[in-house]
């Protein structure tokens, strides 16, 4: 079975649903509040596990009630948590406002994730045994770089989601095989407002790029190839939280299974399309039979 390692964050998402998000200084009345296990690392781990991979999660939770629930949620989805350590203090949290159009705004408090600033003993072995390593930027950069370099040493594909977006260290770019920014992140990293131009600029830094374009689909570029645009299935979005992580997790699985690039992208887009039709992040992520059924339509 495909082996995926994830080095990243675990957060409890504190989600408020409103007709529209408040502007600065404004108070609005919401209609619902939920606590949903999330964090970009945990989300991608759950997405990959539900898509059919054997997944190991490397990171940290606090010794609080959120930490216990986060660990339980990962394990319930089939994610191995032997490398998910428990530290003193609170777990990470994400404070999310979701509007009636399915859009969201997010504030992340790192909590225990801030302690993941290096690889612990045994982490490199977990990475070395994987077919791919999924990375994001919700833990300290030093750990992300160390994880990517460990994967690179062992010939393991690295898939980096540059979120929350920030300048990427040269040593991280040198160890990144596939960069998966959304449109905003691609523009921010390159200063190019056209996704095709942004993807071309990013190809000067990494070998492969997938720019996700929301409801439009995604744009794939690899060095020496023409751009490939893959449309997204047409659906009515309820909540886009976690859609990008669903896409990244499913894409890593499809590529590790050596599916052709277009098929892998379409398969991942089908997974993301299912997720946006449901509320929450990890709670919305589809299982492999659902993805196969959607992909076949």
């Amino acid at each position: 079975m495909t082996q995926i390692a994830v080095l990243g964050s675990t957060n409890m998402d504190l989600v408020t649903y409103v007709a529209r998000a408040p502007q600065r200084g404004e108070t609005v009345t919401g209609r619902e509040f939920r606590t949903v296990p999330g964090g970009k690392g945990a989300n991608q781990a759950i997405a990959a596990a539900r898509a059919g991979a054997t997944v190991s999660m490397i990171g940290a939770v606090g010794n609080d009630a959120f930490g216990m629930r986060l660990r339980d949620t990962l394990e319930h989805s089939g994610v191995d948590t032997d490398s998910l350590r428990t530290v003193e203090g609170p777990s990470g949290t994400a404070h999310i406002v979701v509007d009636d159009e399915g859009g969201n705004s997010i504030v992340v408090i790192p909590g225990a994730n801030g302690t993941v600033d290096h690889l612990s003993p045994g982490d490199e072995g977990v990475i070395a045994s994987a077919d791919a390593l999924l990375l994001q930027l919700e833990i300290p950069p030093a750990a992300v770089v160390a994880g990517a370099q460990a994967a690179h040493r062992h010939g393991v594909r690295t898939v980096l989601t540059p979120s929350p977006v920030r300048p990427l260290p040269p040593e991280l770019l040198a160890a990144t095989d596939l960069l998966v920014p959304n449109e905003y992140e691609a523009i921010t990293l390159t200063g190019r407002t056209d996704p095709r131009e942004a993807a071309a600029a990013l190809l000067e830094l990494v070998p492969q790029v997938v720019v996700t374009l929301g409801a439009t689909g995604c744009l794939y570029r690899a060095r020496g190839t023409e751009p490939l645009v893959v449309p997204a299935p047409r659906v009515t979005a309820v909540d886009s939280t976690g859609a990008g992580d669903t896409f990244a997790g499913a894409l890593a699985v499809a590529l590790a299974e050596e599916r052709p690039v277009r098929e892998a992208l379409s398969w991942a887009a089908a997974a993301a399309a299912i997720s946006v039709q449901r509320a929450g992040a990890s709670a919305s992520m589809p299982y492999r039979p659902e993805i196969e059924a959607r992909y076949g339509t």
Side-chain angles (χ1 to χ4, degrees):
M1 182 178 286
T2 300
Q3 302 275 341
I4 302 291
V6 181
L7 171 60
S9 59
T10 56
N11 293 323
M12 186 61 73
D13 293 347
L14 311 177
V15 189
T16 301
Y17 295 89
V18 296
R20 63 173 181 83
Q23 298 181 17
R24 185 173 183 178
E26 181 184 17
T27 300
V28 300
T29 299
R31 66 173 180 278
E32 187 177 1
F33 171 77
R34 296 181 183 179
T35 56
V36 183
K40 295 194 73 63
N43 287 346
Q44 291 186 6
I46 290 172
R50 292 185 178 182
T54 297
V55 181
S56 296
M57 178 74 205
I58 304 169
V61 294
N63 61 343
D64 55 3
F66 284 166
M68 289 186 288
R69 187 177 168 195
L70 289 166
R71 186 181 294 277
D72 287 346
T73 299
L74 285 162
E75 292 174 352
H76 183 73
S77 291
V79 177
D80 186 301
T81 61
D82 286 351
S83 299
L84 181 67
R85 53 190 182 266
T86 299
V87 299
E88 291 289 331
S91 299
T93 53
H95 304 254
I96 304 172
V97 176
V98 180
D99 62 35
D100 277 353
E101 295 182 357
N104 63 66
S105 56
I106 305 173
V107 176
V108 174
I109 310 298
N113 298 306
T115 70
V116 187
D117 56 4
H118 62 281
L119 294 183
S120 293
D123 289 350
E124 183 160 346
V126 172
I127 293 169
S129 65
D131 297 300
L133 173 66
L134 284 163
L135 298 159
Q136 323 78 35
L137 300 177
E138 286 186 341
I139 59 174
V144 182
V145 172
Q149 290 177 332
H152 199 60
R153 283 193 295 273
H154 294 282
V156 175
R157 176 190 278 120
T158 52
V159 181
L160 172 64
T161 302
S163 177
V165 66
R166 64 184 70 170
L168 300 177
E171 58 269 33
L172 177 57
L173 290 166
T176 297
D177 296 309
L178 173 61
L179 189 68
V180 189
N182 63 23
E183 187 171 3
Y184 168 77
E185 291 155 358
I187 290 170
T188 302
L189 289 170
T190 64
R192 311 290 179 87
T193 57
D194 180 86
R196 288 177 180 265
E197 293 180 3
L202 291 170
L203 273 188
E204 298 177 9
L205 307 174
V206 296
Q208 294 177 292
V209 178
V210 176
V211 180
T212 59
L213 304 171
T216 304
C218 63
L219 169 66
Y220 171 81
R221 286 294 311 269
R223 291 172 180 168
T225 69
E226 292 299 311
L228 173 62
V229 177
V230 175
R234 289 182 172 272
V235 297
T236 300
V238 172
D239 181 358
S240 62
T241 309
D245 295 327
T246 302
F247 180 90
L251 179 61
V253 174
L255 291 174
E257 293 175 349
E258 299 185 351
R259 299 190 184 213
V261 169
R262 182 184 290 274
E263 179 182 331
L265 293 168
S266 295
W267 200 75
I274 296 170
S275 75
V276 301
Q277 297 177 79
R278 304 168 177 171
S282 61
S284 71
M285 293 174 174
Y287 288 87
R288 188 180 184 97
E290 298 176 278
I291 303 172
E292 296 286 12
R294 176 77 222 199
Y295 174 73
T297 59

